[in-house]
Amino acid sequence: MEDKRILYVSSEVVPYLAENEVSIMSYDVPKMVNDQGGQIRIFMPRYGNINERRHQLHEVIRLSGMNLVVNDLDMPLIIKVASIPKERIQVYFIDNDEYFKRKATFTDEEGKLYDDNDERAIFFAKGVVETVKKLNWVPDIIHVHGWLASLLPVYMKHYYKDEALFSNTKIVTSVYAQSFDGALNSELLNKIKFDGVPEDSISVLKEPNYDNLIKVAIQHSDAVIIASEHLSSSLTKFIESSEKPFLSFFPKEDYAEHYLNFYKNKVL
């Protein structure tokens, strides 16, 4: 992976959030590629429960300041950055007071999904791409982790399809069993259509539950990784029938070699 550029886009990353399957792999995989001589960047949302002082986040003024349109509203984009200690890995945080200031990630104190998680996902997807454009850093691969990042492949294949910067960039989505109950805002489909994304490419989002969000990410990706041992049969079947190159699950002690081979032989 010498000098290959991989952009990791995740809804959760340790050490900034608690350990779970998504947050651990969103750290371990970039570290593995970094150790192999690859060039990496990590993007995640700047949730209000991330301790900025402890993790030494600071705003990057030259990257902040633009407005992103979400459902016909202008939402200011703030970019913060931190370095993972000892690893020389930079993490970029997509921030906006309206969407990410609250002191939790996806649900309120009663465990109810935030009603604007749909708009947060749109803002996150656009914020990542706009920031990478400003950095003028061309990734060979964009590797997506976690459901809040699942709209990125959709926006890359439609909203940003004419961006010359990404003409050779491939998208990989890791699919996890870690899901949510219920569904996102029922207006999600219309909010994405507002950005010129054709309805027939996202029609499954008429019911914006976890499985359908992941299905639309798979449909718009170039390759897929099964990242959980016990993935639902419906998602497993969907991946197997998608005609996309896919990598089956491998436990933590074995995944590194398989991921690298998959990147080199099936994606790049």
Side-chain angles (χ1 to χ4, degrees), residues 167-207:
S167 58
N168 295 314
T169 299
K170 296 289 192 283
I171 301 171
V172 177
T173 292
S174 278
V175 179
Y176 294 88
Q178 187 178 316
S179 63
F180 57 82
D181 295 325
L184 301 189
N185 191 301
S186 60
E187 284 298 302
L188 173 60
L189 179 72
N190 291 327
K191 291 172 184 177
I192 301 174
K193 280 171 58 183
F194 177 83
D195 287 322
V197 177
E199 182 171 350
D200 61 355
S201 69
I202 53 168
S203 58
V204 69
L205 292 180
K206 286 174 183 171
E207 187 181 348

Side-chain angles (χ1 to χ4, degrees), residues 13 59 76 90 129 140 143 169 189 200:
V13 184
E59 185 176 350
Q90 278 201 314
V129 181
D140 297 295
H143 191 161
T169 299
L189 179 72
D200 61 355

Side-chain angles (χ1 to χ4, degrees), residues 112-145:
K112 182 177 176 290
L113 285 168
Y114 289 125
D115 194 50
D116 64 354
N117 275 338
D118 60 332
E119 295 187 7
R120 296 166 97 206
I122 292 171
F123 184 86
F124 182 49
K126 287 185 171 181
V128 169
V129 181
E130 294 295 346
T131 304
V132 173
K133 283 166 59 181
K134 270 197 171 183
L135 289 168
N136 200 30
W137 189 79
V138 185
D140 297 295
I141 296 172
I142 298 175
H143 191 161
V144 175
H145 299 257

Side-chain angles (χ1 to χ4, degrees), residues 219-237:
Q219 287 172 333
H220 290 86
S221 297
D222 298 295
V224 181
I225 293 175
I226 297 175
S228 292
E229 185 173 9
H230 303 294
L231 195 63
S232 71
S233 59
S234 66
L235 281 179
T236 302
K237 286 174 185 171

Side-chain angles (χ1 to χ4, degrees), residues 41-44 63 79-81 90-94 135:
R41 300 282 188 279
I42 302 174
F43 277 75
M44 68 176 291
L63 298 176
I79 302 298
K80 294 174 179 172
V81 70
Q90 278 201 314
V91 180
Y92 291 83
F93 295 83
I94 300 294
L135 289 168

Side-chain angles (χ1 to χ4, degrees), residues 1 3 6 9 48-49 55 68 73 77 85 101 122 128 168 179 184 201 214 240 245 248 254:
M1 296 305 293
D3 293 330
I6 304 185
V9 182
N49 55 346
H55 296 296
L68 304 179
L73 289 174
L77 173 65
K101 197 165 190 178
I122 292 171
V128 169
N168 295 314
S179 63
L184 301 189
S201 69
I214 300 305
E240 290 172 348
S248 297
D254 296 327

